[in-house]
Amino acid sequence: MSSDLPGEPHADDADDADHHADFEDDHHEDDQVPLSPEEREDIVVDLEDLEVYRTLLEPTGIKGIVIDCPDCETIHHIGWALMQSNLRQLLDEGITGLHEPPYDPDPAEYVTWEYARGYADGVVASESAID
Ligand SMILES: [Zn+2]
């Protein structure tokens, strides 16, 4: 068995492993603040909310969430899937990849967390208002 076939599908995996190794080298314990149980709880709730918002808003053409980022003082437009994976990453690793380079999003296709929450509340209210 030869292990040096070109185009082996494990190339991506090897890349990924390198990334993780590099990342851990740059982040020593004092950077790595473990999440408190309360913080983890918050993120789990956010993930559940996000799932609801996505289910309600994605069919209306909304592609994601707008975050006014205190770290870069920039508005980030984050797609649903990316937002979900960011939150999961936060849970798993205590870090987030929120600060993606902008890719020229259409602001009309993104809503704030508050808008999404209000929208979801409105839907729930109108559904429970049916007698
Ligand atoms: Zn940012």
Side-chain angles (χ1 to χ4, degrees), residues 66-99:
V66 181
I67 303 283
D68 197 349
C69 178
D71 293 338
C72 3
E73 298 183 355
T74 309
I75 307 257
H76 296 303
H77 297 83
I78 303 168
W80 298 115
L82 181 59
M83 190 70 201
Q84 286 172 317
S85 69
N86 275 334
L87 287 174
R88 289 202 188 94
Q89 190 182 20
L90 198 56
L91 267 186
D92 292 344
E93 302 172 36
I95 52 123
T96 160
L98 267 186
H99 315 285

Coordinates of all heavy atoms in Angstrom, one line a residue, residues 66-99:
V66 N -27.1 41.1 12.0 CA -26.1 42.2 12.1 C -25.7 42.4 13.5 O -26.5 42.4 14.4 CB -26.8 43.5 11.7 CG1 -25.8 44.7 11.7 CG2 -27.5 43.4 10.3
I67 N -24.4 42.4 13.6 CA -23.8 42.6 15.0 C -23.0 43.9 15.0 O -22.1 44.0 14.2 CB -22.8 41.4 15.3 CG1 -23.6 40.0 15.2 CG2 -22.2 41.6 16.7 CD1 -24.4 39.7 16.4
D68 N -23.3 44.7 15.9 CA -22.5 45.9 16.1 C -21.4 45.6 17.1 O -21.5 45.5 18.3 CB -23.4 47.0 16.7 CG -22.7 48.4 16.6 OD1 -21.6 48.5 16.2 OD2 -23.4 49.4 16.9
C69 N -20.2 45.3 16.5 CA -19.1 44.7 17.2 C -18.3 45.7 18.1 O -17.7 46.6 17.5 CB -18.2 44.0 16.2 SG -16.8 43.2 17.0
P70 N -18.3 45.5 19.4 CA -17.6 46.4 20.2 C -16.1 46.3 20.1 O -15.3 47.2 20.3 CB -18.0 46.0 21.7 CG -18.5 44.6 21.5 CD -19.0 44.4 20.1
D71 N -15.6 45.1 19.6 CA -14.2 44.9 19.5 C -13.6 45.6 18.3 O -12.5 46.3 18.5 CB -13.9 43.4 19.3 CG -14.2 42.6 20.6 OD1 -14.2 43.2 21.7 OD2 -14.4 41.4 20.5
C72 N -14.2 45.6 17.2 CA -13.7 46.3 16.0 C -14.4 47.6 15.7 O -14.1 48.2 14.7 CB -13.6 45.4 14.8 SG -14.2 43.8 14.8
E73 N -15.4 47.9 16.5 CA -16.3 49.1 16.2 C -16.7 49.1 14.8 O -16.7 50.1 14.1 CB -15.5 50.3 16.6 CG -15.1 50.4 18.1 CD -14.4 51.7 18.5 OE1 -14.1 52.5 17.6 OE2 -14.2 51.9 19.7
T74 N -17.1 47.9 14.4 CA -17.6 47.7 13.0 C -18.9 47.0 13.0 O -19.1 46.2 14.0 CB -16.6 46.9 12.2 OG1 -15.3 47.5 12.3 CG2 -17.0 46.8 10.7
I75 N -19.7 47.1 12.0 CA -20.9 46.3 11.9 C -20.6 45.1 11.1 O -20.0 45.1 10.0 CB -22.0 47.1 11.1 CG1 -22.2 48.5 11.8 CG2 -23.3 46.3 11.0 CD1 -23.4 48.6 12.6
H76 N -20.8 43.9 11.7 CA -20.6 42.7 11.0 C -21.9 42.1 10.5 O -22.9 42.1 11.2 CB -20.0 41.6 11.9 CG -18.6 41.9 12.4 ND1 -17.6 42.2 11.6 CD2 -18.1 42.1 13.7 CE1 -16.5 42.5 12.3 NE2 -16.8 42.4 13.6
H77 N -22.0 41.7 9.3 CA -23.1 41.0 8.7 C -22.8 39.5 8.7 O -21.8 39.1 8.0 CB -23.4 41.4 7.3 CG -23.8 42.9 7.3 ND1 -22.9 43.9 7.3 CD2 -25.0 43.5 7.3 CE1 -23.5 45.1 7.2 NE2 -24.8 44.8 7.3
I78 N -23.5 38.7 9.5 CA -23.1 37.3 9.7 C -24.3 36.4 9.3 O -25.4 36.5 9.8 CB -22.7 37.1 11.2 CG1 -21.6 38.0 11.6 CG2 -22.3 35.6 11.4 CD1 -21.3 38.1 13.0
G79 N -24.0 35.5 8.4 CA -25.1 34.6 7.9 C -25.5 33.7 9.0 O -24.7 33.5 10.0
W80 N -26.7 33.1 8.9 CA -27.2 32.2 9.9 C -26.3 31.1 10.2 O -26.0 30.8 11.4 CB -28.5 31.6 9.4 CG -29.6 32.6 9.2 CD1 -30.2 32.9 7.9 CD2 -30.3 33.4 10.1 NE1 -31.2 33.8 8.1 CE2 -31.2 34.2 9.4 CE3 -30.2 33.6 11.5 CZ2 -32.1 35.1 10.0 CZ3 -31.0 34.6 12.1 CH2 -31.9 35.3 11.4
A81 N -25.8 30.4 9.2 CA -24.9 29.2 9.5 C -23.6 29.6 10.2 O -23.2 29.0 11.1 CB -24.6 28.5 8.1
L82 N -23.1 30.8 9.7 CA -21.8 31.2 10.3 C -22.1 31.6 11.8 O -21.3 31.3 12.7 CB -21.2 32.4 9.5 CG -19.9 33.0 10.1 CD1 -18.8 31.9 10.1 CD2 -19.5 34.1 9.2
M83 N -23.2 32.3 12.0 CA -23.5 32.7 13.4 C -23.7 31.5 14.3 O -23.2 31.5 15.4 CB -24.8 33.5 13.3 CG -25.2 34.2 14.6 SD -24.0 35.6 15.0 CE -24.3 35.7 16.8
Q84 N -24.3 30.5 13.8 CA -24.5 29.3 14.6 C -23.2 28.6 14.8 O -22.9 28.1 16.0 CB -25.5 28.3 13.9 CG -26.9 28.8 14.0 CD -27.9 28.0 13.1 OE1 -27.6 27.7 11.9 NE2 -29.1 27.7 13.6
S85 N -22.3 28.5 13.8 CA -21.1 27.8 14.1 C -20.2 28.7 15.0 O -19.4 28.1 15.8 CB -20.4 27.5 12.7 OG -19.9 28.7 12.1
N86 N -20.3 30.0 14.9 CA -19.6 30.9 15.8 C -20.0 30.6 17.3 O -19.1 30.5 18.2 CB -19.9 32.3 15.6 CG -19.0 32.9 14.5 OD1 -17.9 32.4 14.3 ND2 -19.4 33.9 13.8
L87 N -21.3 30.5 17.5 CA -21.7 30.2 18.9 C -21.3 28.8 19.4 O -20.9 28.7 20.5 CB -23.2 30.4 19.0 CG -23.8 31.8 18.9 CD1 -25.3 31.8 18.8 CD2 -23.3 32.6 20.0
R88 N -21.4 27.9 18.4 CA -20.9 26.5 18.8 C -19.4 26.5 19.1 O -19.0 25.8 20.1 CB -21.2 25.5 17.7 CG -22.7 25.3 17.6 CD -23.1 24.0 16.9 NE -24.5 23.9 16.7 CZ -25.1 24.3 15.5 NH1 -24.3 24.7 14.5 NH2 -26.4 24.2 15.4
Q89 N -18.7 27.2 18.3 CA -17.2 27.3 18.6 C -17.0 28.0 19.9 O -16.1 27.6 20.6 CB -16.6 28.2 17.4 CG -15.1 28.1 17.4 CD -14.5 29.0 16.3 OE1 -15.2 29.9 15.8 NE2 -13.3 28.7 16.0
L90 N -17.8 29.0 20.2 CA -17.6 29.6 21.5 C -17.9 28.7 22.7 O -17.2 28.7 23.7 CB -18.6 30.8 21.6 CG -18.4 31.9 22.6 CD1 -17.1 32.5 22.4 CD2 -19.5 33.0 22.4
L91 N -18.9 27.8 22.5 CA -19.1 26.8 23.5 C -18.0 25.8 23.6 O -17.6 25.4 24.7 CB -20.4 26.0 23.1 CG -21.8 26.5 23.7 CD1 -22.8 25.5 23.3 CD2 -21.7 26.6 25.2
D92 N -17.5 25.3 22.5 CA -16.5 24.3 22.5 C -15.2 24.7 22.8 O -14.4 24.1 23.5 CB -16.5 23.6 21.1 CG -17.7 22.9 20.7 OD1 -18.5 22.6 21.7 OD2 -18.0 22.6 19.5
E93 N -14.8 25.9 22.3 CA -13.4 26.4 22.5 C -13.2 27.6 23.2 O -12.1 28.1 23.5 CB -12.8 26.5 21.1 CG -12.9 25.2 20.2 CD -12.5 25.5 18.8 OE1 -11.6 26.3 18.6 OE2 -13.1 24.9 17.9
G94 N -14.3 28.3 23.6 CA -14.2 29.5 24.3 C -13.8 30.7 23.5 O -13.5 31.8 24.0
I95 N -13.8 30.6 22.1 CA -13.4 31.7 21.3 C -14.4 31.7 20.1 O -15.2 30.8 19.9 CB -12.0 31.5 20.7 CG1 -11.9 30.1 20.0 CG2 -10.9 31.7 21.7 CD1 -11.5 30.2 18.6
T96 N -14.4 32.8 19.4 CA -15.3 32.9 18.3 C -14.6 33.5 17.1 O -13.7 34.3 17.2 CB -16.6 33.8 18.7 OG1 -17.1 34.3 17.5 CG2 -16.2 35.0 19.5
G97 N -15.0 33.1 15.9 CA -14.5 33.6 14.7 C -15.3 34.7 14.1 O -15.4 34.8 12.9
L98 N -16.0 35.5 14.9 CA -16.9 36.5 14.5 C -16.3 37.5 13.5 O -17.0 38.0 12.6 CB -17.4 37.4 15.7 CG -18.7 37.0 16.3 CD1 -19.1 38.0 17.4 CD2 -19.8 36.8 15.3
H99 N -15.0 37.8 13.7 CA -14.5 38.9 12.9 C -14.0 38.5 11.5 O -12.8 38.6 11.2 CB -13.3 39.6 13.7 CG -13.7 39.8 15.2 ND1 -14.5 40.8 15.6 CD2 -13.4 39.1 16.2 CE1 -14.7 40.7 16.9 NE2 -14.0 39.6 17.3

